[in-house]
Amino acid sequence: MLEIQRGSRQGEPSFEAAIKKCGKTRQWREALNLFREASQLRSKISPGCYIVTVSACGKDRQWQQALALLSELWEAKLESYAASYCAGITAGITACQKGQQWKRGLALLSEMWEAELEPD
């Protein structure tokens, strides 16, 4: 995993790619560590970084971590956050489904409708 970390220091797209790779190999802790490292190096994190990290956590049934990141994304209100938040909610719903938290998944869907966001 050290290889991914070294490559990720070059820029944010590299962080996203490294986090995505962690998700594919079900290494959610490493994905979360890379996300935190990216957030320490930059004043703003791209919505894509949030989404791939939420997805990485969800793939390994870490729905609590996924929802915490989704909450951070909402609080950050990044550029084009509406579209990003919809994608994040989709990843969050998937995380809830894998973690057998269907009520939380429905709550996310309801939250999206209340915020008048269009599902993707």
Side-chain angles (χ1 to χ4, degrees), residues 3 6 17 20 27-28 34 45 48 53 57-59 62-63 65 67 76 88-89 91 95 102 107 109 116-117:
E3 247 177 77
R6 256 191 243 123
K20 192 172 188 176
Q27 296 182 41
W28 71 272
L34 286 168
I45 299 295
T53 309
C57 291
K59 285 179 182 175
Q62 299 301 314
W63 60 271
Q65 296 292 334
L67 295 184
I89 284 181
W102 63 270
L109 192 57
E116 298 181 0
L117 300 172

Side-chain angles (χ1 to χ4, degrees), residues 1-2 4-5 8 12 14-40 45 48-60 62 65-66 69 72:
M1 198 49 59
L2 187 58
I4 292 173
Q5 285 183 329
S8 70
E12 201 160 309
S14 296
F15 272 107
E16 282 184 43
I19 292 168
K20 192 172 188 176
K21 187 172 183 180
C22 289
K24 287 180 180 178
T25 57
R26 295 185 185 251
Q27 296 182 41
W28 71 272
R29 283 188 178 99
E30 188 63 30
L32 201 53
N33 288 338
L34 286 168
F35 177 83
R36 296 294 177 216
E37 184 178 340
S39 65
Q40 289 175 350
I45 299 295
C49 240
Y50 278 97
I51 294 164
V52 295
T53 309
V54 167
S55 180
C57 291
K59 285 179 182 175
D60 209 14
Q62 299 301 314
Q65 296 292 334
L69 283 167
E72 284 182 35

